[in-house]
Amino acid sequence: MKKSILFTFLFLQILTNAQFFEHNLSSEKWKFKNAKENNWLTASVPGTVHLDLMNNKIIPDPYKDENEKKVQWIENEDWDYQTSFNISSKDLENQNIELIFNGLDTFSEIYLNGKLIQSTDNMFRKWIIPVKQSLKKGENILQVKFRSAVNVGKELAQKVPFTMPESPRSFVRKAQYQFGWDWGPRLVTAGIWKDVKLNFWNIARLDHIKIEQKILTKQKADLNIHAKIFTTEEGKYSFSINGKSQNISLKSGLNLISIPYQIQNPKLWQPNGWGDPNLYDIKVSLQKDSKMIAEKSEKIGLRTVELIQEKDAKGKSFYFKVNGKPMYAKGTNWIPGNSFSPRITKEKYQQLIKACKDANMNMIRVWGGGIYEDDEFYKACDENGILVWQDFMFAGSFYPSYEKFQKNVELEVKDQIERIQNHPSLALWCGNNEIDEAIVNWGYQKQFKYSKEDSLQVWKDYKKIFHEVIPNAAKKYATSDKQIYWESSPSIGWGHQESLTEGDSHYWGVWWGEQPFEIYNEKVSRFASEYGFQGMPTLETTKSMFSGNPDLSLQNGTIKAHEKHSRGWEIIENYMKRDYKVPTDFVKYNYVSQLLQARGMQIAIEAHRRAKPYNMGTLYWQLNDCWPVVSWSSIDYLGNWKALHYQVKRSFENQVILVEEKDGILTFYAINDQARKFDDVFVEIEVINFQGKVLDEITTVPNGKTLEEIIPFDPIEIQNLVPDSNKNETFLKLTLKDTNGKVIAESNYFFAKPKDLKLTKPALKIRKISATEIEISTDVLAKDVYLMGDTHFSDNFFDLLPKTSKRITLSKPLEKIEVMSLFDTMN
């Protein structure tokens, strides 16, 4: 007996009384071939053509060496996929059999037993195809024939009378980053990238559940459970929510039902830093004549989210109110975790989102040039208290608006809203990434010699998709509490003054504009949703770029190829010269490039937080990478924290004491992001030299007694603390305390740039406490202590003050730990 016949037989035995079951076709034996050839090779589903070619040793790993260039031919070919599966006569007795593809990338024709049953044109849509009439007893052949997305895109582009920027990617509803970005390779994939299954059902199908939160108080949560039900038989049914049943009448065909449900004394879902992200299980089922017909489960959180934009003296506010309280958003931007999405494991999603929680974040923006993420991503955000700013997948180009494209976009939005909206982490739908800005600021019209009519058409297309099609679909398919829509991120480009006084801002004066980091102190927006600076990945990830022995040199072709920004190395070097001594040794260069990145982002984040409540959000670019690369990420492709992520963790603490230096004056700010208050706070300031001698001690009291959100302290003239001659061998140790003398926050402040510090060689000593715990100590200031080894350190790239020690935990034991500090790069 064949394996799949046995599977079907056993499954039916188990589900004798059930009216629904699935057969996972992903686990069948799949094969693929170039459409021009006859040679079939083994394939994996879910998967992509690049992964299948790699597994069959047809192409080298494009992540290694300079292999990316060697695989560009793949995007211009058509690819065929095929499998066979068995169907029994018992299977065919089911009233309804549907073939469900959760993701096809992108242009395909689906054949069942030689008959064309569906054409597809959108990577982001779910395809449900009734197939009972096309199936036969015994062996069935399923084929999916993919056309080159690049070639189809070029055909579609020719129908527009002017040249679109980034053509042909904007004509193709697939992940835009696959066409290459300034942090990602060009790997334009094809394939069955999500699960495929056969769905057997009888009498009725519970299509999807929408859970709408109507009223939320301390006493109760009033919900509406909306269900979409298809039936083959009209009549009386029983609909159950968490075991509470009620009788309903359903007609034959489509039924939309709405049933109220109440939760007493609800525990709120709270963002990270505010409390627990409490979750509730909602289990619904449909029964007829005491037989289970269908069932579904959802996990929800009870919370309110509002986007507040109110005119004020300085412009217009932009912030999120969560559970009735203004929330300062601290977080990052997410790109796809791999150029080949089926490679991303549930464990990787959980690891990356846990790293956001551990770094004191409460928001993450899913960037519009990638993919609508896997369910596991949103589940991890739900569980870790991370709110999601969700872009729709449009980025940095112009998009058409012909009728078929509009319909395709609406159905894409429908599928994704229905899949994602029950997640409590979802905060906002955003139309696109940087398209408004691209039209206004990037000069494409001049570059491509647009006529006035062409330029008007671009705006007309933009307004049709992002002012009409998407927001109308959001109103149609999302529940009333999940309809917050923001048209484009950013709302105004960074060259315009208004970008700092209203809406959200992508400030790229640093990096793209090559302004010094200190400009962040002046260019503070209402909500900073993108800004960043590049740093190298860890040494382990850098070595993974090579298929053989790594040649760690900045002149090496492989190292150069894993920097996708055309001027990346030059920009890093220019900034490094400003703030650090530029090492010639590769390991030290790698280390300093990470410190440089962390320093820039620290200046930005602290400027944003000091401006609270004018500024109410800071989301740096970017959290993660899709391959081993020099980029803006704080966590590299292999999951290692760069210096930036350790710094972000410190800069995003719920309570911080920050310093602003201006015109020889220091102003201190105590900031608190939690609902709790601190009474009678004060700051102890110690002036310490690098050998550990305390030169002065001052206690300063704020202008307000209670720390609720932010309070400034009386300014102090620097010369009253430190003479100019001592600025590069002295630092301030700041300790924020409450009325009981309990430490609320600590920080150190240096007056000089790292390259100008008069450091002396620290005698760093590491003592092993256990297999996974060490203590590191020093005699003099050890600046930016860097612990090296194949393990995750609980802290790294930290300052170790004179005559102090610090305990560090390791994720796994390490025989040898190497250590470096900034002093080692200065000689």
Side-chain angles (χ1 to χ4, degrees):
M1 189 184 282
K2 283 198 174 177
K3 190 177 172 183
S4 54
I5 296 176
L6 181 63
F7 169 83
T8 307
F9 175 75
L10 289 172
F11 212 29
L12 282 169
Q13 286 293 102
I14 295 164
L15 295 166
T16 342
N17 298 318
Q19 301 298 326
F20 60 94
F21 65 93
E22 292 175 352
H23 178 176
N24 182 9
L25 294 181
S26 305
S27 56
E28 296 290 351
K29 286 183 178 173
W30 284 85
K31 55 187 182 179
F32 83 110
K33 68 179 181 67
N34 189 316
K36 292 190 296 204
E37 297 170 2
N38 297 316
N39 183 28
W40 289 96
L41 301 163
T42 57
S44 294
V45 171
T48 74
V49 67
H50 291 76
L51 293 176
D52 290 330
L53 289 166
M54 260 190 282
N55 291 337
N56 283 278
K57 307 215 169 1
I58 307 291
I59 61 166
D61 185 343
Y63 290 7
K64 294 189 181 294
D65 306 322
E66 296 179 65
N67 294 338
E68 181 201 350
K69 298 171 192 169
K70 298 176 183 175
V71 301
Q72 295 305 308
W73 59 273
I74 296 166
E75 68 181 44
N76 298 309
E77 302 295 320
D78 298 338
W79 301 93
D80 296 344
Y81 279 74
Q82 182 173 306
T83 192
S84 64
F85 58 93
N86 281 281
I87 290 290
S88 68
S89 53
K90 187 82 175 161
D91 291 336
L92 293 170
E93 288 173 14
N94 286 281
Q95 291 173 342
N96 298 277
I97 309 173
E98 291 160 339
L99 179 61
I100 300 176
F101 285 94
N102 281 307
L104 289 168
D105 182 10
T106 292
F107 295 97
S108 79
E109 291 182 337
I110 303 165
Y111 293 85
L112 184 55
N113 296 323
K115 179 186 170 190
L116 176 65
I117 57 170
Q118 180 77 53
S119 295
T120 78
D121 57 357
N122 191 322
M123 175 180 177
F124 304 123
R125 282 175 59 189
K126 181 178 181 177
W127 304 93
I128 302 175
I129 311 155
V131 290
K132 182 171 177 179
Q133 302 310 315
S134 305
L135 290 168
K136 61 183 183 180
K137 183 185 170 186
E139 187 178 56
N140 290 259
I141 307 291
L142 176 62
Q143 288 178 308
V144 186
K145 294 175 175 284
F146 291 97
R147 281 200 65 196
S148 156
V150 170
N151 293 340
V152 176
K154 285 175 181 173
E155 291 166 16
L156 293 169
Q158 284 169 2
K159 295 177 183 177
V160 174
F162 51 88
T163 304
M164 291 273 221
E166 303 286 344
S167 188
R169 75 167 166 83
S170 53
F171 292 90
V172 179
R173 291 312 301 140
K174 84 193 271 20
Q176 303 284 275
Y177 80 110
Q178 293 179 356
F179 294 82
W181 225 266
D182 53 11
W183 38 257
R186 184 179 175 103
L187 295 166
V188 186
T189 62
I192 304 168
W193 75 290
K194 289 193 170 188
D195 281 331
V196 52
K197 63 189 178 186
L198 279 173
N199 193 29
F200 300 82
W201 62 277
N202 299 287
I203 306 174
R205 183 185 81 196
L206 192 52
D207 204 33
H208 67 86
I209 301 294
K210 292 197 291 191
I211 299 166
E212 181 180 23
Q213 185 182 287
K214 298 297 287 181
I215 296 169
L216 181 61
T217 67
K218 285 182 179 177
Q219 291 75 36
K220 63 174 185 173
D222 282 340
L223 310 176
N224 274 345
I225 312 293
H226 303 283
K228 189 175 177 182
I229 302 170
F230 288 94
T231 67
T232 56
E233 298 176 19
E234 68 172 52
K236 296 268 188 281
Y237 289 77
S238 173
F239 191 80
S240 167
I241 305 169
N242 284 356
K244 289 174 75 174
S245 298
Q246 70 180 79
N247 294 326
I248 55 171
S249 293
L250 298 176
K251 64 184 184 190
S252 180
L254 172 63
N255 295 263
L256 299 173
I257 68 163
S258 189
I259 293 176
Y261 182 74
Q262 197 172 83
I263 295 172
Q264 299 293 330
N265 305 314
K267 290 181 177 177
L268 296 185
W269 183 93
Q270 297 282 15
N272 184 33
W274 279 19
D276 294 326
N278 294 296
L279 296 170
Y280 287 86
D281 287 308
I282 301 287
K283 292 181 180 173
V284 302
S285 62
L286 187 69
Q287 294 182 320
K288 185 169 174 57
D289 303 327
S290 302
K291 278 187 180 174
M292 177 72 75
I293 305 292
E295 58 184 350
K296 279 195 180 300
S297 291
E298 295 284 344
K299 251 191 183 0
I300 65 160
L302 304 170
R303 87 293 178 279
T304 59
V305 176
E306 303 161 79
L307 175 60
I308 307 296
Q309 297 186 79
E310 294 170 340
K311 286 190 175 176
D312 55 29
K314 293 176 179 175
K316 192 194 275 187
S317 68
F318 189 103
Y319 67 91
F320 292 91
K321 193 184 266 189
V322 181
N323 298 330
K325 294 179 297 206
M327 182 192 85
Y328 190 90
K330 296 178 292 194
T332 187
N333 286 260
W334 171 278
I335 66 163
N338 207 298
S339 285
F340 308 124
S341 298
R343 261 189 180 172
I344 314 172
T345 62
K346 289 184 176 186
E347 291 74 24
K348 181 154 187 177
Y349 280 117
Q350 289 286 349
Q351 176 196 10
L352 285 167
I353 298 304
K354 176 69 163 52
C356 293
K357 180 185 180 179
D358 290 345
N360 302 301
M361 298 185 202
N362 56 24
M363 181 170 273
I364 193 165
R365 172 176 172 246
V366 179
W367 168 76
I371 61 173
Y372 302 96
E373 278 303 337
D374 187 84
D375 293 340
E376 193 69 24
F377 169 87
Y378 302 99
K379 178 175 175 281
C381 290
D382 293 346
E383 292 165 352
N384 287 285
I386 309 294
L387 284 162
V388 175
W389 170 311
Q390 177 67 54
D391 281 6
F392 288 103
M393 293 301 126
F394 301 85
S397 183
F398 302 169
Y399 288 82
S401 72
Y402 55 85
E403 202 166 319
K404 190 179 177 187
F405 191 84
Q406 287 180 45
K407 190 65 187 167
N408 201 357
V409 168
E410 184 191 335
L411 292 170
E412 169 187 323
V413 170
K414 171 186 178 287
D415 281 357
Q416 296 305 328
I417 284 179
E418 288 179 350
R419 182 174 71 91
I420 296 168
Q421 72 166 359
N422 288 335
H423 289 277
S425 53
L426 180 73
L428 172 91
W429 304 106
C430 179
N432 67 74
N433 171 75
E434 295 186 349
I435 296 177
D436 185 307
E437 180 170 13
I439 295 171
V440 175
N441 291 337
W442 293 359
Y444 283 134
Q445 293 89 328
K446 191 176 177 184
Q447 182 185 335
F448 294 118
K449 299 183 172 61
Y450 281 15
S451 66
K452 188 180 178 184
E453 289 73 24
D454 296 341
S455 293
L456 286 170
Q457 186 61 45
V458 168
W459 265 119
K460 197 176 165 187
D461 291 340
Y462 177 83
K463 286 182 174 172
K464 175 57 75 175
I465 298 297
F466 301 107
H467 287 216
E468 292 180 40
V469 175
I470 294 178
N472 290 347
K475 281 187 187 131
K476 188 173 175 182
Y477 301 113
T479 55
S480 60
D481 55 319
K482 295 285 177 73
Q483 288 182 2
I484 302 173
Y485 177 74
W486 185 238
E487 170 203 313
S488 183
S489 181
S491 44
I492 302 164
W494 63 267
H496 301 268
Q497 180 57 32
E498 296 85 357
S499 71
L500 302 177
T501 60
E502 60 185 87
D504 71 315
S505 167
H506 294 190
Y507 182 71
W508 284 105
V510 169
W511 186 267
W512 283 101
E514 296 185 57
Q515 294 284 329
F517 290 145
E518 288 70 24
I519 197 77
Y520 282 130
N521 293 316
E522 298 167 35
K523 303 290 186 179
V524 176
S525 59
R526 306 310 293 259
F527 193 102
S529 51
E530 242 191 63
Y531 58 92
F533 193 86
Q534 284 196 353
M536 292 183 76
T538 59
L539 288 169
E540 183 195 359
T541 300
T542 305
K543 289 172 184 173
S544 80
M545 298 171 182
F546 295 83
S547 56
N549 288 330
D551 171 17
L552 297 182
S553 157
L554 292 175
Q555 278 66 51
N556 181 276
T558 292
I559 301 275
K560 284 183 174 178
H562 287 73
E563 161 61 275
K564 301 303 290 184
H565 189 283
S566 59
R567 291 187 53 242
W569 289 114
E570 183 188 341
I571 294 171
I572 290 170
E573 185 93 358
N574 290 343
Y575 274 87
M576 199 181 282
K577 284 174 184 168
R578 294 176 192 174
D579 286 3
Y580 290 87
K581 291 189 175 170
V582 181
T584 51
D585 172 77
F586 183 88
V587 174
K588 289 175 183 175
Y589 192 96
N590 176 286
Y591 161 62
V592 172
S593 89
Q594 290 191 54
L595 294 181
L596 178 71
Q597 180 190 26
R599 173 176 163 79
M601 295 304 90
Q602 179 184 3
I603 291 170
I605 290 167
E606 291 186 359
H608 298 155
R609 293 193 72 185
R610 289 196 309 266
K612 184 181 180 178
Y614 177 84
N615 170 282
M616 282 298 287
T618 180
L619 311 178
Y620 69 89
W621 182 269
Q622 66 206 62
L623 176 72
N624 58 320
D625 285 323
C626 64
W627 75 315
V629 65
V630 181
S631 83
W632 293 266
S633 71
S634 63
I635 298 179
D636 70 23
Y637 174 67
L638 293 183
N640 300 307
W641 289 25
K642 291 157 71 169
L644 172 55
H645 207 80
Y646 286 102
Q647 181 55 52
V648 162
K649 183 181 180 182
R650 293 187 277 268
S651 293
F652 279 168
E653 287 281 1
N654 268 328
Q655 288 81 36
V656 287
I657 175 75
L658 301 179
V659 184
E660 181 180 35
E661 181 180 336
K662 201 172 184 181
D663 303 327
I665 304 286
L666 294 180
T667 307
F668 303 96
Y669 294 84
I671 295 162
N672 173 28
D673 286 337
Q674 285 178 307
R676 60 181 294 203
K677 299 173 184 177
F678 297 88
D679 291 322
D680 297 325
V681 294
F682 60 95
V683 174
E684 287 179 354
I685 305 169
E686 292 178 88
V687 184
I688 307 174
N689 71 14
F690 292 172
Q691 278 62 49
K693 186 179 179 185
V694 178
L695 306 175
D696 201 355
E697 291 181 90
I698 298 170
T699 298
T700 179
V701 178
N703 297 331
K705 288 236 170 192
T706 303
L707 174 57
E708 291 187 58
E709 291 186 29
I710 178 168
I711 44 175
F713 290 68
D714 286 329
I716 297 175
E717 287 192 37
I718 296 175
Q719 63 184 27
N720 291 342
L721 289 173
V722 181
D724 284 347
S725 58
N726 286 358
K727 274 187 177 179
N728 53 9
E729 49 192 353
T730 310
F731 68 97
L732 302 183
K733 182 186 175 191
L734 309 170
T735 310
L736 178 68
K737 294 184 177 181
D738 68 9
T739 184
N740 301 314
K742 187 181 174 187
V743 175
I744 302 168
E746 292 179 297
S747 66
N748 306 314
Y749 185 77
F750 292 85
F751 297 97
K753 289 190 170 187
K755 68 177 182 182
D756 297 323
L757 297 175
K758 288 187 179 175
L759 298 172
T760 53
K761 185 175 175 64
L764 287 166
K765 289 180 182 166
I766 294 176
R767 182 170 71 88
K768 191 173 179 181
I769 293 167
S770 72
T772 55
E773 189 176 15
I774 59 168
E775 183 179 69
I776 181 165
S777 60
T778 184
D779 54 343
V780 298
L781 173 72
K783 187 94 181 73
D784 301 313
V785 173
Y786 176 29
L787 299 166
M788 289 174 275
D790 181 20
T791 188
H792 176 74
F793 297 98
S794 58
D795 199 4
N796 211 344
F797 303 94
F798 52 83
D799 295 338
L800 195 56
L801 302 193
K803 301 177 180 62
T804 65
S805 64
K806 185 180 181 75
R807 288 198 172 194
I808 303 287
T809 55
L810 287 60
S811 60
K812 62 181 181 186
L814 207 59
E815 271 305 304
K816 188 184 176 192
I817 297 171
E818 293 184 65
V819 64
M820 187 189 295
S821 74
L822 188 63
F823 175 84
D824 297 307
T825 70
M826 302 183 84
N827 299 290

